[in-house]
Amino acid sequence: MAADNEIWITGLGLVSAFGTGGREAGSNLSAHNVSVRSAAAHGESLPVSSFDKHAILGQKGLRLLSAGTLYFMAASRLALTDAGLETTNRKGDSSRGIVAGTFTANANLVADFDRTTLREGPAAVNPSLFAQTVWNGTSSQCAIRFGFDGPNITASSGTNSGLDALIVAFRQLECGAAEIFLAGGYEELTPFFTGLFNGEAGTTTPSFFSEGAAVLVMEKAASAQERAAEPLAIVRGGRSGFMPGTVGESEAYHDFRNGLIADTCRDAGARPETIGRTWWAHAPQKSEARLNKPAGNCVDVVSAFGCSGGHSGALACVLAVTSSSIKRPSTDLVMAEDGLGRAAALLLELP
Amino acid sequence: MTRIVVTGLGAVSPIGLNTATFWEGLLAGRCGYGEVTAFDLTGQRTRIGCEVRGLDLLSTRLGLDLQSGRAFQMALAAAIEALNQAGLHEESILSRTIGVCLGTTMGEIRILEEYLEAEARRSGEVRSFDQYPCSSIPMNMASALRLKGPNLMIPTACAAGNYAIGMGYDLLRRGEADVMVVGGVDPYSRVAHSGFNRMMAVSPDVCRPFDAHRKGIIPGEGAGILVMETETHALARGAAPLARIRGYGLSSDAHHMTDPDPEGSGLARAIDRAMSASGAKPGEIAYISAHGTGTRANDQAETQALKTYFGKRAYDIPVSSIKSMIGHTMGAASALEAVASVMCLQAQRIPPTMNYQDPDPLCDLDVVPNTSRNLPVRNVMSVSMAFGGNNSCLILEKV
């Protein structure tokens, strides 16, 4: 692929229970400079804390926004700053897009909206909240705030949503739909999210829940080079898919997963055996949906930082990009699997 | 350049539970309005909606589980019709990579609404909450039909169907699937009915797009599904293409969560992107399937967008809104409009904008008032706009 057409990651932003910021926050997580062991041992849920939305987003226009929207918006602002991009300039040429991945979006807000209807009658609901009840409310709020008037996409594929959002952005950039994308995932810690894993028969293996947002700036190399930005990573390829009739690990699923990885590598002109490390985001492991770690040098992101739904896959990408513990250059794989037959893979070249 | 064609259509709508009945209804100007039955209307500002009637019977006939979500049932029924038309049956499905990409506004919102009703009553059984996340719909569809391949939900509100069609188009061109099942779905929801009413965006009687006295949308529900594949793949297995997808374009207004950019510049950019991507020329577009919701703001902005892109030629292109007949089916809207667009190309006839009585000087295009029309149609443009300012444009060509 010609250098100008490469897809680079040039900035990132993170809002999480373990830290909030740009690439430094990512590096802190990668270096495990945060203590999560006690939470994992006790099966607790870790909410985002010490998050000053006003410091990142200013004073206005935040009151009615859901927590998930605030996380994604703040992470987007941090990512833009990290990439050296302005945050309010609308170019008017649809050259900047957004892809947001989420599993349950603003479920709490939707529920509160309908509860008001049921308890107090339809005339009591706040019309200003209605637009937040749609699944694309978060990405659209970001588009308005940052003046991103290109493709505005929300992607949902269970716990793989964040990684699928990055893959969608990669495809959109490759086909020339825009020059720059903010892409990532977010999730809010609500009973509607955690309850999806606790209600079924079977054991939920040690894992805990967290929440937050991870957003990356992805852009064509030519666009980045115009402002002398350097790549944190080069996105070489990405694919995702679903294998019906497979829950957890089975021979059919194993073949499907290996095929997905092989296809992703082939798209990139790489070989699976050259993968240095796999950053693995998976759904909490129920006994009947248990997945085995991908072969090779694998980092289990969820066991370390909890399951955060649509945030997990994007967080795994942040960890890969900011890790200082690997020998570079390296070709790494970010993988998300939901234990229900869905898998996603993103191949990165880490310079 | 890889050509992408449509080989199957499926529709579950307020005026028909399959494509043929849906299309006949559109041409006849049949409207699917009725008093809403999905929930208690006490305190609601309006009582009229466009619900799908007879879904239980259809689902029973198809052997679908009536405890599954309403959106899933509608989408699956439409997908079964589309795959049958495409000649893709069990054996041919298992040997291929067939992906699913759908769009929606609210997903399985009825599951959440029932859960909250039971919570309010402190009693009552509810269906499995696993079905609530909107990503369950394409996943459960692929499970039911044994489709292995890409699987994604694109919940971009009222333009979601076109977004899903666009994503599916890209996947086929990249060779990541042999076939894509794409489209959009939404069930009738109390949240949407209440929300649009609180915004004073719902008409108390009918939807009259582009009319001087239009008062808003009529909420609706439904599912529209298209089977798409590369032309090479279709011809190799002996399938007959129904239409060709030439290209699509997306943009965002980046203006307001509910009001469109009054200049229509966002939609005009999406149109420009679609035309560039497809290589189509303005003179080739014979008909435009409008978003045409029947609100003052939308219809005016949309008209302005068409004038911005096409200039004076906009006055020569018929533009009609099928929402005048089936209501605003939310995430299904642009998918059902795509189904109708394919039928326009097949039948060389275009549907009307119903309930049109008084021209609005700010919406002064040829809106095909009240009667369908024979028209030589080689290329159709289908546009959609959504909450949050999401815009989309699809270009379809006769084969």
Side-chain angles (χ1 to χ4, degrees), chain A residues 115-194:
Chain A
R115 280 191 185 107
T116 302
T117 303
L118 290 170
R119 289 176 188 164
E120 301 174 47
V125 294
N126 184 345
S128 299
L129 290 175
F130 177 48
Q132 315 303 328
T133 64
V134 297
W135 282 71
N136 65 312
T138 296
S139 62
S140 296
Q141 286 284 357
C142 288
I144 293 166
R145 185 163 286 259
F146 304 125
F148 271 43
D149 55 11
N152 190 284
I153 302 169
T154 301
S156 192
S157 54
T159 52
N160 299 355
S161 299
L163 191 57
D164 262 317
L166 301 180
I167 293 169
V168 168
F170 171 72
R171 289 191 204 114
Q172 287 280 297
L173 285 162
E174 275 214 320
C175 75
E179 292 174 8
I180 297 174
F181 269 88
L182 284 166
Y186 72 97
E187 208 68 53
E188 221 179 294
L189 203 56
T190 71
F192 301 106
F193 165 52
T194 58

Coordinates of all heavy atoms in Angstrom, one line a residue, chain A residues 115-194:
Chain A
R115 N -40.2 5.4 32.1 CA -40.7 5.4 33.5 C -41.5 6.6 33.7 O -42.6 6.6 34.4 CB -39.6 5.3 34.5 CG -39.0 3.9 34.7 CD -38.1 3.9 35.9 NE -37.4 2.6 36.0 CZ -36.1 2.4 35.7 NH1 -35.4 3.4 35.4 NH2 -35.6 1.2 35.9
T116 N -41.0 7.8 33.3 CA -41.8 9.0 33.5 C -43.1 8.9 32.8 O -44.2 9.4 33.3 CB -41.0 10.2 32.9 OG1 -39.7 10.3 33.6 CG2 -41.7 11.5 33.1
T117 N -43.1 8.4 31.6 CA -44.4 8.2 30.8 C -45.4 7.3 31.6 O -46.5 7.7 31.8 CB -44.1 7.6 29.5 OG1 -43.2 8.4 28.7 CG2 -45.4 7.4 28.7
L118 N -44.8 6.2 32.2 CA -45.7 5.3 32.9 C -46.2 5.9 34.2 O -47.3 5.7 34.6 CB -44.9 4.0 33.1 CG -44.7 3.1 31.9 CD1 -43.7 2.0 32.2 CD2 -45.9 2.6 31.3
R119 N -45.3 6.6 34.9 CA -45.7 7.0 36.3 C -46.5 8.3 36.3 O -47.4 8.5 37.1 CB -44.4 7.2 37.1 CG -43.7 6.0 37.5 CD -42.4 6.2 38.2 NE -41.7 5.0 38.4 CZ -40.4 4.9 38.8 NH1 -39.7 6.0 38.9 NH2 -39.8 3.8 38.9
E120 N -46.1 9.3 35.4 CA -46.7 10.6 35.4 C -47.5 11.0 34.1 O -48.1 12.0 34.1 CB -45.5 11.6 35.6 CG -44.7 11.4 36.8 CD -43.5 12.3 36.9 OE1 -43.6 13.5 36.7 OE2 -42.4 11.8 37.2
G121 N -47.4 10.1 33.2 CA -48.1 10.4 31.9 C -47.3 11.0 30.9 O -46.2 11.5 31.1
P122 N -47.7 10.8 29.6 CA -46.8 11.2 28.5 C -46.5 12.7 28.5 O -45.5 13.1 28.0 CB -47.7 10.9 27.3 CG -48.7 9.9 27.7 CD -48.9 10.1 29.2
A123 N -47.4 13.5 29.0 CA -47.1 15.0 29.0 C -46.0 15.4 29.9 O -45.5 16.5 29.8 CB -48.4 15.7 29.4
A124 N -45.6 14.5 30.8 CA -44.6 14.9 31.7 C -43.1 14.6 31.2 O -42.2 15.1 31.9 CB -44.8 14.1 33.0
V125 N -43.0 13.9 30.1 CA -41.6 13.6 29.7 C -41.0 14.9 29.1 O -41.6 15.7 28.5 CB -41.5 12.5 28.6 CG1 -42.0 11.2 29.3 CG2 -42.3 12.8 27.4
N126 N -39.7 15.0 29.3 CA -38.9 16.1 28.8 C -38.6 15.9 27.4 O -37.8 15.0 27.0 CB -37.6 16.3 29.7 CG -36.8 17.5 29.3 OD1 -37.0 18.1 28.3 ND2 -35.9 17.8 30.2
P127 N -39.1 16.8 26.5 CA -38.8 16.6 25.0 C -37.3 16.7 24.7 O -36.9 16.1 23.7 CB -39.6 17.7 24.3 CG -40.0 18.7 25.4 CD -40.0 17.9 26.7
S128 N -36.6 17.4 25.5 CA -35.2 17.6 25.2 C -34.4 16.3 25.4 O -33.3 16.1 24.9 CB -34.6 18.7 26.1 OG -35.2 19.9 25.9
L129 N -35.0 15.4 26.2 CA -34.3 14.1 26.4 C -34.6 13.1 25.3 O -33.9 12.1 25.2 CB -34.8 13.5 27.8 CG -34.3 14.2 29.0 CD1 -34.9 13.5 30.2 CD2 -32.8 14.1 29.1
F130 N -35.6 13.3 24.5 CA -36.1 12.3 23.6 C -34.9 12.0 22.6 O -34.7 10.8 22.3 CB -37.3 12.8 22.8 CG -37.8 11.8 21.7 CD1 -37.9 10.5 22.0 CD2 -38.1 12.3 20.5 CE1 -38.3 9.6 21.0 CE2 -38.5 11.4 19.5 CZ -38.6 10.0 19.7
A131 N -34.3 13.0 22.1 CA -33.2 12.8 21.1 C -32.1 11.9 21.7 O -31.3 11.3 20.9 CB -32.7 14.1 20.5
Q132 N -31.9 11.9 23.0 CA -30.9 11.1 23.6 C -31.3 9.6 23.7 O -30.4 8.8 24.0 CB -30.5 11.6 25.0 CG -30.3 13.1 25.1 CD -29.3 13.6 24.2 OE1 -28.3 13.0 23.9 NE2 -29.5 14.8 23.7
T133 N -32.6 9.3 23.4 CA -33.0 7.9 23.6 C -32.6 7.1 22.4 O -32.7 5.9 22.4 CB -34.5 7.8 23.8 OG1 -35.2 8.3 22.7 CG2 -35.0 8.6 25.0
V134 N -32.3 7.8 21.3 CA -32.0 7.0 20.1 C -30.5 6.5 20.2 O -29.7 7.2 20.8 CB -32.2 7.8 18.8 CG1 -33.7 8.1 18.6 CG2 -31.4 9.0 18.7
W135 N -30.2 5.4 19.6 CA -28.9 4.8 19.8 C -27.8 5.6 19.2 O -26.6 5.5 19.7 CB -28.9 3.4 19.1 CG -29.6 2.4 20.0 CD1 -30.9 2.2 20.2 CD2 -28.9 1.3 20.7 NE1 -31.1 1.2 21.0 CE2 -30.0 0.6 21.3 CE3 -27.6 0.8 20.8 CZ2 -29.7 -0.6 22.1 CZ3 -27.4 -0.3 21.6 CH2 -28.4 -1.0 22.2
N136 N -28.1 6.5 18.3 CA -27.0 7.3 17.7 C -26.9 8.7 18.4 O -26.2 9.6 17.9 CB -27.2 7.5 16.2 CG -28.5 8.3 15.9 OD1 -29.5 8.1 16.4 ND2 -28.3 9.3 15.0
G137 N -27.5 8.9 19.5 CA -27.5 10.2 20.2 C -26.1 10.6 20.6 O -25.7 11.7 20.4
T138 N -25.3 9.6 21.0 CA -23.9 10.0 21.5 C -23.1 10.4 20.3 O -22.4 11.5 20.4 CB -23.3 8.7 22.2 OG1 -24.1 8.4 23.3 CG2 -21.9 8.9 22.5
S139 N -23.0 9.7 19.3 CA -22.1 10.1 18.2 C -22.6 11.4 17.6 O -21.8 12.2 17.1 CB -22.1 9.0 17.1 OG -23.3 8.8 16.5
S140 N -23.9 11.6 17.5 CA -24.4 12.8 16.9 C -24.1 14.0 17.8 O -23.8 15.1 17.3 CB -25.9 12.7 16.7 OG -26.2 11.7 15.8
Q141 N -24.2 13.9 19.1 CA -23.8 15.0 20.0 C -22.3 15.4 19.8 O -22.0 16.5 19.8 CB -24.0 14.6 21.5 CG -25.4 14.5 21.9 CD -26.0 15.9 22.2 OE1 -25.4 16.9 22.1 NE2 -27.3 15.9 22.5
C142 N -21.5 14.4 19.6 CA -20.1 14.6 19.3 C -19.9 15.4 18.0 O -19.1 16.3 17.9 CB -19.3 13.3 19.3 SG -19.1 12.6 20.9
A143 N -20.7 14.9 17.0 CA -20.6 15.6 15.7 C -20.9 17.1 15.8 O -20.2 17.9 15.2 CB -21.5 14.9 14.7
I144 N -21.9 17.4 16.6 CA -22.4 18.8 16.7 C -21.3 19.5 17.5 O -20.9 20.7 17.1 CB -23.7 18.8 17.5 CG1 -24.8 18.2 16.6 CG2 -24.1 20.3 17.9 CD1 -26.1 17.9 17.4
R145 N -20.8 19.0 18.6 CA -19.8 19.7 19.4 C -18.5 20.0 18.7 O -17.9 21.0 18.8 CB -19.5 18.9 20.7 CG -18.6 19.6 21.7 CD -18.7 19.0 23.1 NE -20.0 19.4 23.7 CZ -20.1 20.3 24.6 NH1 -19.1 21.0 25.0 NH2 -21.3 20.5 25.2
F146 N -18.0 19.0 17.9 CA -16.7 19.1 17.3 C -16.8 19.5 15.8 O -15.8 19.6 15.1 CB -15.9 17.8 17.4 CG -15.8 17.4 18.8 CD1 -16.1 16.1 19.2 CD2 -15.2 18.2 19.8 CE1 -16.0 15.7 20.6 CE2 -15.1 17.9 21.1 CZ -15.5 16.6 21.5
G147 N -18.0 19.7 15.3 CA -18.2 20.1 13.9 C -17.8 19.1 12.9 O -17.3 19.4 11.8
F148 N -17.9 17.8 13.2 CA -17.6 16.7 12.3 C -18.7 16.4 11.4 O -19.7 15.8 11.8 CB -17.2 15.5 13.2 CG -15.7 15.4 13.5 CD1 -15.0 16.5 14.0 CD2 -15.0 14.2 13.4 CE1 -13.7 16.5 14.3 CE2 -13.7 14.1 13.7 CZ -13.0 15.3 14.2
D149 N -18.7 16.9 10.2 CA -19.9 16.7 9.3 C -19.7 15.7 8.2 O -20.4 15.7 7.2 CB -20.2 18.1 8.7 CG -19.0 18.7 8.0 OD1 -18.0 18.0 7.8 OD2 -19.1 19.9 7.6
G150 N -18.8 14.7 8.5 CA -18.7 13.6 7.6 C -19.6 12.5 8.0 O -20.6 12.7 8.8
P151 N -19.3 11.2 7.6 CA -20.2 10.1 8.1 C -20.2 10.0 9.6 O -19.2 10.1 10.3 CB -19.4 8.9 7.5 CG -18.7 9.4 6.3 CD -18.3 10.8 6.7
N152 N -21.4 9.8 10.1 CA -21.6 9.7 11.5 C -22.3 8.4 11.8 O -23.5 8.2 11.5 CB -22.5 10.9 12.0 CG -22.5 11.0 13.5 OD1 -23.2 10.2 14.2 ND2 -21.8 11.8 14.1
I153 N -21.6 7.4 12.3 CA -22.1 6.1 12.4 C -22.0 5.5 13.8 O -21.1 5.8 14.5 CB -21.1 5.2 11.5 CG1 -21.1 5.7 10.0 CG2 -21.6 3.7 11.5 CD1 -20.1 5.1 9.1
T154 N -23.0 4.8 14.2 CA -23.0 4.0 15.4 C -23.0 2.6 15.1 O -23.8 2.1 14.2 CB -24.2 4.4 16.3 OG1 -24.2 5.8 16.6 CG2 -24.2 3.6 17.6
A155 N -22.2 1.8 15.7 CA -22.1 0.4 15.4 C -22.4 -0.4 16.7 O -21.9 0.0 17.8 CB -20.7 0.0 14.9
S156 N -23.1 -1.5 16.6 CA -23.4 -2.3 17.7 C -23.3 -3.8 17.4 O -23.9 -4.3 16.4 CB -24.8 -2.0 18.3 OG -24.9 -2.6 19.6
S157 N -22.4 -4.5 18.1 CA -22.2 -5.9 17.9 C -21.9 -6.6 19.3 O -20.9 -7.3 19.4 CB -21.1 -6.2 16.9 OG -19.9 -5.5 17.3
G158 N -22.7 -6.3 20.3 CA -22.5 -6.8 21.6 C -21.2 -6.3 22.2 O -20.9 -5.1 22.1
T159 N -20.5 -7.1 22.9 CA -19.2 -6.7 23.5 C -18.1 -6.4 22.6 O -17.1 -5.9 23.0 CB -18.8 -7.7 24.6 OG1 -18.7 -9.0 24.0 CG2 -19.7 -7.8 25.8
N160 N -18.3 -6.7 21.3 CA -17.3 -6.4 20.2 C -17.5 -5.0 19.6 O -16.8 -4.6 18.7 CB -17.4 -7.4 19.1 CG -17.1 -8.9 19.6 OD1 -16.8 -9.1 20.7 ND2 -17.2 -9.8 18.7
S161 N -18.5 -4.3 20.1 CA -18.9 -3.0 19.5 C -17.8 -2.0 19.3 O -17.7 -1.4 18.2 CB -20.0 -2.4 20.3 OG -21.2 -3.2 20.3
G162 N -16.9 -1.9 20.3 CA -15.9 -0.9 20.2 C -14.9 -1.2 19.1 O -14.4 -0.4 18.3
L163 N -14.5 -2.5 19.1 CA -13.5 -2.9 18.0 C -14.2 -2.9 16.7 O -13.5 -2.5 15.7 CB -13.0 -4.3 18.3 CG -11.8 -4.7 17.5 CD1 -10.6 -3.7 17.6 CD2 -11.3 -6.1 17.9
D164 N -15.4 -3.2 16.6 CA -16.1 -3.1 15.3 C -16.2 -1.7 14.8 O -16.2 -1.4 13.6 CB -17.5 -3.8 15.4 CG -17.5 -5.2 14.8 OD1 -16.9 -5.4 13.8 OD2 -18.2 -6.1 15.5
A165 N -16.3 -0.8 15.7 CA -16.4 0.6 15.4 C -15.0 1.0 14.7 O -15.0 1.7 13.7 CB -16.6 1.5 16.6
L166 N -13.9 0.6 15.2 CA -12.6 0.9 14.7 C -12.5 0.2 13.3 O -12.0 0.8 12.3 CB -11.5 0.3 15.5 CG -11.4 0.9 17.0 CD1 -10.3 0.3 17.7 CD2 -11.3 2.4 17.0
I167 N -13.0 -1.0 13.1 CA -13.0 -1.7 11.8 C -13.8 -0.9 10.8 O -13.5 -0.7 9.6 CB -13.4 -3.1 12.0 CG1 -12.4 -3.9 12.8 CG2 -13.6 -3.8 10.6 CD1 -12.9 -5.3 13.3
V168 N -15.0 -0.5 11.2 CA -15.9 0.3 10.3 C -15.2 1.6 9.9 O -15.2 2.0 8.7 CB -17.2 0.7 11.0 CG1 -18.0 1.7 10.1 CG2 -18.1 -0.6 11.1
A169 N -14.5 2.3 10.8 CA -13.8 3.5 10.5 C -12.6 3.2 9.5 O -12.4 3.9 8.5 CB -13.2 4.1 11.7
F170 N -12.0 2.1 9.7 CA -10.9 1.7 8.8 C -11.4 1.5 7.4 O -10.8 2.0 6.4 CB -10.3 0.4 9.3 CG -9.3 -0.3 8.4 CD1 -8.0 0.3 8.1 CD2 -9.6 -1.4 7.7 CE1 -7.1 -0.3 7.3 CE2 -8.7 -2.0 6.8 CZ -7.5 -1.5 6.6
R171 N -12.6 0.8 7.2 CA -13.1 0.6 5.9 C -13.6 1.9 5.3 O -13.4 2.1 4.1 CB -14.4 -0.3 6.0 CG -14.1 -1.8 6.3 CD -15.4 -2.6 6.1 NE -15.3 -3.8 6.9 CZ -16.1 -4.1 8.0 NH1 -17.0 -3.3 8.3 NH2 -15.9 -5.2 8.6
Q172 N -14.2 2.8 6.1 CA -14.6 4.1 5.6 C -13.4 4.9 5.1 O -13.5 5.6 4.0 CB -15.4 4.8 6.7 CG -16.8 4.3 7.0 CD -17.8 4.7 6.0 OE1 -18.1 5.9 5.8 NE2 -18.4 3.8 5.2
L173 N -12.3 4.9 5.8 CA -11.2 5.6 5.4 C -10.6 5.0 4.1 O -10.2 5.8 3.2 CB -10.1 5.6 6.5 CG -10.4 6.5 7.7 CD1 -9.6 6.1 8.9 CD2 -10.1 8.0 7.3
E174 N -10.5 3.7 4.0 CA -10.0 3.1 2.8 C -10.8 3.4 1.6 O -10.2 3.5 0.5 CB -9.9 1.5 3.1 CG -8.7 1.0 3.8 CD -8.3 -0.3 3.3 OE1 -9.2 -1.2 3.0 OE2 -7.1 -0.6 3.2
C175 N -12.1 3.5 1.8 CA -12.9 3.8 0.6 C -13.1 5.3 0.3 O -13.8 5.7 -0.6 CB -14.3 3.1 0.6 SG -15.4 3.8 1.7
G176 N -12.4 6.1 1.1 CA -12.4 7.5 0.9 C -13.6 8.3 1.3 O -13.8 9.4 0.9
A177 N -14.3 7.7 2.3 CA -15.5 8.4 2.8 C -15.2 9.7 3.6 O -16.0 10.6 3.7 CB -16.4 7.4 3.6
A178 N -14.0 9.7 4.1 CA -13.6 10.9 4.9 C -12.1 10.8 5.1 O -11.5 9.7 4.7 CB -14.3 11.0 6.3
E179 N -11.5 11.8 5.6 CA -10.0 11.8 5.8 C -9.6 11.5 7.2 O -8.5 11.0 7.5 CB -9.4 13.2 5.4 CG -9.5 13.5 3.9 CD -9.1 14.9 3.6 OE1 -8.5 15.6 4.5 OE2 -9.2 15.3 2.5
I180 N -10.5 11.8 8.1 CA -10.2 11.6 9.6 C -11.5 11.0 10.2 O -12.6 11.5 9.9 CB -9.9 13.0 10.3 CG1 -8.6 13.6 9.7 CG2 -9.7 12.8 11.8 CD1 -8.3 14.9 10.2
F181 N -11.3 10.1 11.1 CA -12.4 9.6 11.9 C -12.0 9.6 13.4 O -10.8 9.3 13.8 CB -12.7 8.1 11.5 CG -13.7 8.0 10.5 CD1 -13.4 8.0 9.1 CD2 -15.1 7.9 10.8 CE1 -14.3 7.9 8.1 CE2 -16.1 7.8 9.8 CZ -15.7 7.8 8.5
L182 N -13.0 10.0 14.2 CA -12.9 9.7 15.6 C -13.6 8.3 15.8 O -14.8 8.2 15.3 CB -13.7 10.7 16.5 CG -13.0 12.0 16.7 CD1 -14.0 13.1 17.2 CD2 -11.8 11.9 17.7
A183 N -13.0 7.3 16.3 CA -13.6 6.0 16.4 C -13.3 5.3 17.7 O -12.1 5.4 18.2 CB -13.1 5.1 15.2
G184 N -14.3 4.7 18.3 CA -14.0 4.0 19.5 C -15.3 3.5 20.1 O -16.3 3.4 19.4
G185 N -15.2 3.1 21.4 CA -16.4 2.5 22.0 C -16.6 3.1 23.4 O -15.8 3.7 24.0
Y186 N -17.9 3.0 23.8 CA -18.2 3.5 25.2 C -19.3 2.5 25.8 O -20.0 1.8 25.1 CB -18.7 4.9 25.1 CG -20.1 5.1 24.5 CD1 -21.3 5.1 25.3 CD2 -20.3 5.1 23.1 CE1 -22.5 5.3 24.7 CE2 -21.5 5.2 22.6 CZ -22.7 5.3 23.4 OH -23.9 5.5 22.8
E187 N -19.3 2.6 27.1 CA -20.4 1.8 27.8 C -20.6 2.4 29.2 O -19.6 3.0 29.8 CB -19.9 0.3 28.0 CG -21.1 -0.6 28.1 CD -21.8 -0.7 26.7 OE1 -21.2 -1.0 25.7 OE2 -23.1 -0.5 26.7
E188 N -21.8 2.4 29.6 CA -22.2 2.9 30.9 C -22.5 1.7 31.8 O -23.1 0.8 31.4 CB -23.5 3.7 30.7 CG -23.6 5.0 31.5 CD -24.9 5.7 31.1 OE1 -25.0 6.1 30.0 OE2 -25.7 5.8 32.1
L189 N -22.1 1.8 33.0 CA -22.3 0.7 34.0 C -23.7 0.8 34.5 O -24.0 1.6 35.4 CB -21.3 0.9 35.1 CG -20.9 -0.3 36.0 CD1 -20.4 -1.4 35.1 CD2 -19.8 0.1 37.0
T190 N -24.6 0.1 33.9 CA -26.0 0.1 34.4 C -26.5 -1.3 34.6 O -25.9 -2.3 34.1 CB -26.9 0.8 33.3 OG1 -27.0 -0.1 32.2 CG2 -26.3 2.1 32.8
P191 N -27.6 -1.5 35.3 CA -28.2 -2.9 35.4 C -28.5 -3.5 34.1 O -28.6 -4.7 33.9 CB -29.4 -2.6 36.3 CG -29.2 -1.3 37.0 CD -28.4 -0.5 36.0
F192 N -28.8 -2.6 33.1 CA -29.2 -3.1 31.8 C -28.0 -3.7 31.1 O -28.1 -4.6 30.2 CB -29.8 -2.0 30.9 CG -31.0 -1.4 31.5 CD1 -31.0 -0.1 32.1 CD2 -32.2 -2.1 31.6 CE1 -32.1 0.4 32.7 CE2 -33.3 -1.5 32.2 CZ -33.3 -0.3 32.7
F193 N -26.8 -3.3 31.5 CA -25.6 -3.8 30.9 C -25.1 -5.1 31.7 O -25.0 -6.2 31.2 CB -24.5 -2.8 30.8 CG -23.1 -3.3 30.6 CD1 -22.8 -4.1 29.6 CD2 -22.1 -2.9 31.5 CE1 -21.5 -4.6 29.4 CE2 -20.8 -3.4 31.3 CZ -20.5 -4.2 30.2
T194 N -24.9 -4.9 33.0 CA -24.4 -6.0 33.8 C -25.4 -7.1 33.9 O -25.0 -8.3 33.9 CB -24.0 -5.5 35.2 OG1 -25.2 -4.9 35.8 CG2 -22.9 -4.5 35.2

